[in-house]
Amino acid sequence: MSSTDARVPNYMSVPLMLATLVGVSIFRGWWMAALMALPIFFLTLHSFGVHAARLRRHAREVDELHLRTIEALAMAIDAKDNGTHQHLQRVVIYAEAIGREMGLPHEDLKGLRAAALLHDIGKLAVPEYIISKPGRLTSEEFERMKIHTVVGAEILERVKFPYPVVPVVRAHHERWNGSGYPGGLKGHEIPIGARILAVVDSFDALSSDRQYRRALSHAGALAMIKKDTGVLYDPEIVKVLEKLHPKLEHLVEAQPRSEKKLYSTIKVERGSAPEAGLLVERPGDASVAPALNAIIQARQELQILYELSQALGNSLSLDETLRLLVEQLRKLIDFDASAIYLIEEGKLVPRFVEGVNAALLAGVQAPLGEGLSGWVAGTGNHSLNGNPAVEPGYMHDPKRFSDLRSALSVPLDSAKGIIGALTLYSLRHEAFTLDHLRILKAIGMKVGSTIYNLLIHEAIGKSAGTDPLTELPNARALAARLEQEAARAARQQTPYSLFVLDMNGLKKINDTLGHSAGDKALVALAGALRGCLREYDFVARMGGDEFVLLLPGMGVEDASMKRLDLAVAVKALNKDLPGLEISVSLGSASYPNDGLTTEKLLAVADHRMYWHKRYHHGSRARSQGLRDGTPDAPAAPDSAAERLEEAGPSTGLRLFASSLVGET
């Protein structure tokens, strides 16, 4: 009985009082009073009848409005689960029919109908990528899916239904043998409405298309249900389903088919976003109910995973992609340090590290199968709240890694197999949850493929920018590096120097000893140049016998000292390679003293190199190598300068310098 119907008996007191008054008047012989009371009695009775009819009509309208509201909400829930309104109609018709057949009271039938419509409302707290996953759920994803029963019950408790709905929604995934969730109830401990809904919902799911399989026939679905009778389902309810199924299926088919859908692609042209954005309560806020908190987290998780997916597909830089990955992960998981390890030559090496103890993590090199991350990459298993101290290089030193207390690590899988491990570290014990593991595993599958593709792209780019003979960067790589260094120097107002170096007598070596000897001399010279440089210096082969050195932060005086180092290194080649008579001509230029642009510095260095070749490497000097520490010569006389201008830079450098400023 509704609250409106409950008020009807209160109005009975007025006509009852009048009827009593008429009866007493007749009994006492007060005929005049009785005659006067009779019209009032009949008028009151008529008014009561009219009012009672209105109350009943209002009660029906409220009840129908209540039901339509429930159906509208259920339609929205079903839309999230990629279902249709026919699914809801079928479940409601089957559940109500079975309930009536089993003699459920009227109030229980109303509760069963509402529960049939709203039993999946808790899926609002489950991320859509789990609901729509076209395959079996992982154990972590299934753990997240199970919360929809508890969240749904918590949401519906606030509605204060006048009939039993919440117990049915909470228990509709309990199983007859106690293997269900969330309470592990079994047998008749499970509310009768929940047992009916469990059978009906499973039957409809089996006979409907899903992302991971095609629908079974009704006979096939019924056979599957009967197979689990007494295990998952109440045997009595299964018998009723088998008895009523043919009639109910005809009843379902006779229902008008609703094609109404909830559209999310409608575009609203008008309106602009508020300047300060929208105020949204954050998950974890004490003012947010747990169920609402779970729904907010599910929506945010989906949004962040979408943004991460977009970020992973938009960058061609591996380091930039890994930085974006860690930034997005911080929005979903609380951690203090992170490391992405990649497999190289049978061991795990860090490619990206940040956070607490980053310097220590950067030194980890784990053989596959050893340590926390090495075990994850070697076995393909995950590690939840593992001990960071077991990473190789730390377990023998108690002073190292003392800050980090727990770790979460998943393998990075790709089409070519496991390529590494993604590991998060925390300063707290047992800091990571199954939800964190589920999120990281979902991300790891996507990230592994992205990293593999970027590694291929990086290798191709490196190959395109590398001289195949000397394995030094080529002119293409030099152009990019010069552009970066020029911008940095201009921004920070710091010097840098360029050296242009030309190997003397390469043609003679090729003509007399063969090209293999010339190649050997070039490779040896490239190694000598590399050995003279700091780790952040840069040397490239321009082609032929020409090399360019870029020395960031080096001014004029330091460049002269570097020339001495190069002289000693080149002289040493003649001892190691007797008979080749290797020597070089060298010129240098420094920013900002000799020019403000890279093309100007290259031209100055090239002119000085040719001056050095002309005046210090005649026929006698050519066999002596670079003269002992001879600095760049002072400016030549005007006539010499004019001759240099006529000669101009070498062909390779001239074309390269022109390319830097867009000349042809």
Side-chain angles (χ1 to χ4, degrees):
M1 182 180 292
S2 70
S3 58
T4 306
D5 292 334
R7 291 196 298 268
V8 174
N10 296 332
Y11 294 95
M12 291 292 294
S13 59
V14 176
L16 285 175
M17 289 175 62
L18 287 171
T20 303
L21 178 60
V22 171
V24 170
S25 298
I26 294 173
F27 179 77
R28 293 289 185 94
W30 300 341
W31 297 104
M32 185 60 68
L35 290 173
M36 292 177 64
L38 279 174
I40 299 174
F41 171 72
F42 286 112
L43 181 60
T44 303
L45 192 61
H46 174 73
S47 298
F48 168 76
V50 172
H51 188 65
R54 287 178 179 174
L55 285 176
R56 285 192 293 270
R57 185 168 63 253
H58 180 66
R60 286 195 301 271
E61 290 173 353
V62 170
D63 208 29
E64 290 173 1
L65 178 60
H66 193 194
L67 183 58
R68 286 197 299 271
T69 303
I70 293 174
E71 288 177 341
L73 180 57
M75 189 175 175
I77 299 164
D78 210 42
K80 173 168 179 162
D81 200 6
N82 296 323
T84 65
H85 196 55
Q86 280 68 45
H87 160 71
L88 289 177
Q89 287 180 324
R90 188 179 298 110
V91 170
V92 170
I93 290 171
Y94 269 73
E96 281 189 312
I98 292 174
R100 281 193 298 270
E101 181 72 16
M102 297 184 70
L104 263 63
H106 179 68
E107 293 301 304
D108 287 354
L109 284 174
K110 293 177 72 173
L112 180 57
R113 178 183 179 85
L117 289 167
L118 298 175
H119 64 281
D120 279 338
I121 191 173
K123 286 186 178 179
L124 293 171
V126 180
E128 289 183 27
Y129 73 89
I130 296 179
I131 295 174
S132 303
K133 184 176 180 180
R136 293 181 63 87
L137 299 180
T138 65
S139 58
E140 296 78 24
E141 289 168 341
F142 183 60
E143 287 298 318
R144 181 69 179 191
M145 177 67 83
K146 287 195 296 186
I147 73 169
H148 83 275
T149 54
V150 178
V151 172
E154 183 179 337
I155 292 172
L156 297 177
E157 277 176 351
R158 295 170 175 262
V159 179
K160 305 298 183 185
F161 286 98
Y163 32 77
V165 176
V166 173
V168 176
V169 170
R170 182 185 294 274
H172 76 277
H173 276 289
E174 301 287 0
R175 295 296 178 247
W176 186 254
N177 64 355
S179 63
Y181 61 88
L185 304 178
K186 63 181 180 179
H188 290 92
E189 295 175 350
I190 307 169
I192 180 64
R195 282 179 271 150
I196 292 173
L197 190 55
V199 172
V200 171
D201 198 34
S202 296
F203 175 75
D204 185 72
L206 290 169
S207 57
S208 303
D209 286 332
R210 289 292 187 266
Q211 295 92 341
Y212 46 88
R213 59 159 175 77
R214 300 294 297 173
L216 298 177
S217 66
H218 292 139
L222 188 58
M224 291 287 289
I225 295 292
K226 291 172 65 177
K227 180 180 177 182
D228 290 321
T229 297
V231 179
L232 304 182
Y233 310 116
D234 184 338
E236 184 182 356
I237 295 173
V238 175
K239 289 180 181 178
V240 176
L241 172 66
E242 186 177 13
K243 172 186 174 183
L244 299 181
H245 164 254
K247 180 175 67 174
L248 292 179
E249 199 53 42
H250 287 301
L251 184 59
V252 169
E253 294 298 328
Q255 292 291 316
R257 301 184 66 84
S258 172
E259 299 300 333
K260 291 182 179 180
K261 295 182 180 180
L262 299 181
Y263 295 98
S264 59
T265 57
I266 298 173
K267 184 177 181 181
V268 179
E269 300 291 346
R270 297 181 61 82
S272 57
E275 294 182 1
L278 298 175
L279 179 62
V280 179
E281 291 177 310
R282 296 173 60 83
D285 191 327
S287 64
V288 181
L292 181 57
N293 188 23
I295 294 171
I296 293 173
Q297 287 178 330
R299 301 301 299 173
Q300 287 189 342
E301 180 181 325
L302 182 64
Q303 178 64 26
I304 292 170
L305 290 178
Y306 172 76
E307 292 173 358
L308 177 60
S309 178
Q310 294 297 305
L312 291 178
N314 289 338
S315 176
L316 292 177
S317 166
L318 178 55
D319 292 332
E320 177 68 13
T321 296
L322 298 181
R323 183 185 65 80
L324 290 172
L325 166 64
V326 171
E327 285 181 0
Q328 295 296 330
L329 273 177
R330 283 198 179 280
K331 300 177 183 178
L332 292 170
I333 304 174
D334 184 21
F335 57 89
D336 298 297
S338 62
I340 290 109
Y341 301 98
L342 300 180
I343 298 174
E344 294 182 8
E345 299 179 354
K347 61 183 178 181
L348 212 59
V349 298
R351 178 59 191 257
F352 182 90
V353 175
E354 63 86 42
V356 175
N357 293 145
L360 299 180
L361 289 171
V364 171
Q365 291 199 2
L368 287 183
E370 295 186 15
L372 187 148
S373 300
W375 178 82
V376 168
T379 63
N381 297 316
H382 64 265
S383 176
L384 177 62
N385 291 316
N387 183 7
V390 303
E391 297 284 24
Y394 297 92
M395 51 189 174
H396 301 301
D397 188 347
K399 296 180 181 179
R400 305 180 77 181
F401 236 106
S402 58
D403 294 333
L404 300 175
R405 301 303 185 195
S406 57
L408 172 62
S409 184
V410 298
L412 295 174
D413 206 353
S414 72
K416 297 297 183 180
I418 295 173
I419 61 170
L422 168 57
T423 307
L424 306 180
Y425 302 93
S426 177
L427 295 170
R428 296 174 290 113
H429 288 288
E430 304 292 324
F432 302 104
T433 66
L434 284 173
D435 255 353
H436 296 151
L437 175 60
R438 171 182 57 79
I439 292 169
L440 205 63
K441 287 176 73 174
I443 290 174
M445 296 172 62
K446 171 69 174 176
V447 170
S449 297
T450 300
I451 291 177
Y452 177 75
N453 293 334
L454 289 177
L455 286 172
I456 294 176
H457 180 270
E458 190 178 72
I460 293 173
K462 184 177 180 181
S463 175
T466 303
D467 173 56
L469 176 63
T470 63
E471 296 185 354
L472 292 177
N474 58 17
R476 178 179 179 179
L478 176 63
R481 186 62 177 267
L482 284 177
E483 183 179 354
Q484 294 174 2
E485 181 58 29
R488 186 198 64 79
R491 184 174 62 254
Q492 300 180 2
Q493 292 299 303
T494 54
Y496 69 92
S497 294
L498 289 176
F499 281 72
V500 174
L501 185 146
D502 184 81
M503 180 177 174
N504 299 314
L506 178 61
K507 184 176 185 304
K508 181 179 178 181
I509 294 175
N510 288 336
D511 292 343
T512 57
L513 301 178
H515 284 278
S516 60
D519 291 345
K520 184 178 180 181
L522 287 170
V523 171
L525 178 58
L529 296 178
R530 263 195 299 250
C532 291
L533 301 182
R534 301 164 297 182
E535 61 180 11
Y536 50 86
D537 291 335
F538 189 82
V539 56
R541 183 188 178 197
M542 290 297 301
D545 53 7
E546 296 173 347
F547 297 83
V548 174
L549 285 69
L550 171 62
L551 309 171
M554 186 173 288
V556 177
E557 294 183 2
D558 292 334
S560 297
M561 297 300 296
K562 177 59 67 176
R563 180 185 177 92
L564 297 177
D565 295 339
L566 293 170
V568 172
V570 172
K571 269 193 172 183
L573 289 179
N574 290 305
K575 296 179 181 179
D576 298 334
L577 301 172
L580 291 184
E581 300 183 4
I582 298 175
S583 65
V584 296
S585 299
L586 180 64
S588 66
S590 298
Y591 171 88
N593 302 66
D594 298 313
L596 299 179
T597 63
T598 53
E599 58 269 18
K600 175 63 176 177
L601 295 174
L602 282 170
V604 170
D606 192 58
H607 285 170
R608 289 175 176 175
M609 182 272 291
Y610 264 88
W611 189 90
H612 187 263
K613 181 185 287 288
R614 181 174 297 181
Y615 292 100
H616 290 270
H617 289 283
S619 58
R620 287 184 299 106
R622 200 177 300 276
S623 62
Q624 298 176 5
L626 184 64
R627 292 197 170 180
D628 299 349
T630 305
D632 285 344
D638 290 345
S639 57
E642 290 172 1
R643 288 195 298 273
L644 286 171
E645 289 295 338
E646 291 175 1
S650 62
T651 302
L653 280 172
R654 184 171 66 251
L655 293 175
F656 177 69
S658 298
S659 70
L660 291 177
V661 293
E663 298 176 0
T664 57

